Amino acid sequence: MGSTNIVHQLFLDPISSHAFNADQTQLVVSNSTPLTHIMQLGGDKKFSTKEVLEQHLERVTSVDWAPKTNRIVTCAGDRNAYVWNYQEQDGYWKPCLVLLRINRAATFVRWSPLEDRFAVGSGARLLSICYFDPEHNWWVSKHIKKPIRSTILCVDWHPSNHLVAIGSCDFKCRVFCSALKELGDKPQTSNWMPKLNKFGTLLAEFDTNNGWVHGVQFSPSGNQLAWVAHDSSVNVVNSANLTKVHTVLTSNLPYSCLLWMSESSFAAAGFNYCPDLYTVTADGVTFTAKMDVKKEKSGGGAAMSAMARFQKLDVQGQSETGGTTVDTTHENCITEIRALSRNPATGAVSKFSTSGKDGRLVIWNFDALSSSLGGLKI
């Protein structure tokens, strides 16, 4: 059995976002500064900075790397986004301007499945769908405004490339039509869109109990949608019955991101410092297991003598060892979770990565993890 995870301490600063290239030998990461780092995996199996992208003036909030076209997109608090194209002859990344036309910070960005467009969420209470204008050699945007009433915190694309889901600070999760006539889109009808609609049409809207929506994602087939909110809830809806939302109010601290591990399970991570696995059935959503296998400590409170217990209670005000020791792989909030290896036929994830405010990037091997957890299945 291999190791369940590999830990890379990339920075001392918090990592706000990360993304890998197609062969996972390079990594783009933002460490909550205006700089974006492109890191290379070396022979020692460690990442080191290869190039620094310096176009932004404020903190970079989100990054994404299109694996097929090898393009990077970044957005930041300076209300700008840039698409970076690698120049083979000169050996550097060249930025291309994106006309976002927003007056508040850009918060989240994601490439579409076909990588011909990307979506940018912002504090301007609108979603920008951006596509390339070859005539002027820049990226232009079309806005989806109504009925968004607050900052967009997360975005995800439907596998069809013509639908997009967002989560925002108005306690709502929404699904919109994002088909662009400028790109000659010919969307197909589905349970999400029973009839053909124009760009920006609201197709579905879901309430959370009382919390900002931090993370949202479609399942591999696109038939289900899951989201996590600041009220410590996890929510799933099936497109076959959009009126029935399965919600679980957990006893954990809130989750900030999620990843579908298969069509019937997803992992959620956030302020608990470790990813948790949930199973989705026709009856609802159930917690399955914590995916961070904790190492057992040598010794421990049970082995303490009665005298040692009273001495510790007298000196430190506590009777057990430990205290503020963190026994999870991450030592602070997990900010992002991404799939690294997914079965193209079933959509099952065998390897994924997480990054957090502790400056760490952790690569998780789910096959080894399932063995450590007693044959865990997804």
Side-chain angles (χ1 to χ4, degrees), residues 234 236 246-248 250 264-266 276-289:
V234 294
V236 176
H246 300 288
T247 300
V248 175
T250 72
S264 60
S265 64
F266 64 88
D276 295 337
L277 186 66
Y278 286 85
T279 301
V280 181
T281 63
D283 299 325
V285 184
T286 56
F287 173 77
T288 304

Side-chain angles (χ1 to χ4, degrees), residues 44-358:
D44 57 355
K45 301 299 181 181
K46 295 182 179 180
F47 285 99
S48 59
T49 300
K50 179 182 179 182
E51 189 173 346
V52 179
L53 312 180
E54 303 181 356
Q55 199 71 19
H56 287 288
L57 302 177
E58 297 290 342
R59 180 175 69 92
V60 176
T61 53
S62 185
V63 300
D64 199 17
W65 198 324
K68 301 173 186 175
T69 57
N70 196 34
R71 292 188 296 217
I72 296 173
V73 61
T74 61
C75 69
D78 57 6
R79 301 168 294 171
N80 287 322
Y82 293 96
V83 175
W84 303 81
N85 298 280
Y86 188 67
Q87 307 299 306
E88 292 285 351
Q89 295 180 348
D90 301 323
Y92 77 101
W93 289 88
K94 181 180 179 180
C96 184
L97 179 64
V98 181
L99 299 180
L100 285 182
R101 299 181 292 118
I102 58 176
N103 57 7
R104 295 292 187 273
T107 55
F108 200 90
V109 63
R110 278 296 180 272
W111 284 105
S112 69
L114 295 183
E115 302 176 7
D116 59 347
R117 71 200 74 183
F118 57 89
V120 180
S122 68
R125 299 185 298 177
L126 58 86
L127 179 69
S128 301
I129 305 296
C130 306
Y131 61 96
F132 188 66
D133 179 6
E135 182 179 352
H136 298 93
N137 193 32
W138 58 25
W139 292 75
V140 295
S141 63
K142 292 188 70 174
H143 289 168
I144 298 176
K145 297 181 179 180
K146 296 182 179 180
I148 306 169
R149 302 183 62 85
S150 190
T151 300
I152 297 173
L153 297 180
C154 52
V155 178
D156 191 56
W157 288 89
H158 189 271
S160 68
N161 206 64
H162 299 141
L163 304 177
V164 65
I166 67 167
S168 53
C169 289
D170 56 4
F171 307 163
K172 304 282 188 180
C173 177
R174 299 181 175 95
V175 180
F176 292 97
C177 173
S178 57
L180 294 169
K181 63 179 181 180
E182 290 83 355
L183 298 183
D185 288 347
K186 296 180 179 179
Q188 302 294 320
T189 57
S190 65
N191 288 333
W192 292 108
M193 188 167 57
K195 63 179 181 178
L196 297 182
N197 291 280
K198 63 180 182 179
F199 175 86
T201 301
L202 177 65
L203 302 176
E205 182 178 81
F206 309 102
D207 286 311
T208 58
N209 288 312
N210 195 20
W212 305 334
V213 179
H214 286 299
V216 62
Q217 192 173 63
F218 285 101
S219 64
S221 69
N223 293 330
Q224 299 182 93
L225 180 70
W227 65 94
V228 293
H230 201 69
D231 58 356
S232 297
S233 68
V234 294
N235 309 267
V236 176
V237 66
N238 193 305
S239 61
N241 186 4
L242 296 179
T243 60
K244 179 61 176 178
V245 178
H246 300 288
T247 300
V248 175
L249 289 174
T250 72
S251 59
N252 301 323
L253 292 173
Y255 297 117
S256 59
C257 51
L258 77 154
L259 171 69
W260 282 90
M261 303 296 293
S262 69
E263 191 62 29
S264 60
S265 64
F266 64 88
F271 293 90
N272 266 0
Y273 304 175
C274 71
D276 295 337
L277 186 66
Y278 286 85
T279 301
V280 181
T281 63
D283 299 325
V285 184
T286 56
F287 173 77
T288 304
K290 289 189 173 296
M291 302 175 73
D292 196 350
V293 181
K294 301 177 182 179
K295 299 179 180 179
E296 295 186 3
K297 303 176 182 178
S298 59
M304 294 177 66
S305 65
M307 179 61 72
R309 286 179 182 273
F310 281 111
Q311 287 177 341
K312 190 172 184 61
L313 182 62
D314 178 56
V315 175
Q316 299 184 7
Q318 55 186 8
S319 59
E320 301 288 344
T321 58
T324 58
T325 303
V326 177
D327 53 4
T328 54
T329 303
H330 278 287
E331 296 182 350
N332 208 326
C333 172
I334 296 175
T335 55
E336 194 164 51
I337 179 171
R338 285 182 175 268
L340 297 182
S341 179
R342 189 185 289 272
N343 187 311
T346 63
V349 173
S350 59
K351 187 168 67 171
F352 64 96
S353 63
T354 57
S355 60
K357 292 186 176 181
D358 54 0

Side-chain angles (χ1 to χ4, degrees), residues 10-11 13 17 19 26-40 48-54 60 63 65 72 74:
L10 301 182
F11 305 100
D13 305 314
S17 183
Q26 294 187 39
L27 168 74
V28 59
V29 59
S30 60
N31 61 332
S32 301
T33 68
L35 305 179
T36 305
H37 298 259
I38 296 179
M39 312 190 82
Q40 178 76 43
S48 59
T49 300
K50 179 182 179 182
E51 189 173 346
V52 179
L53 312 180
E54 303 181 356
V60 176
V63 300
W65 198 324
I72 296 173
T74 61

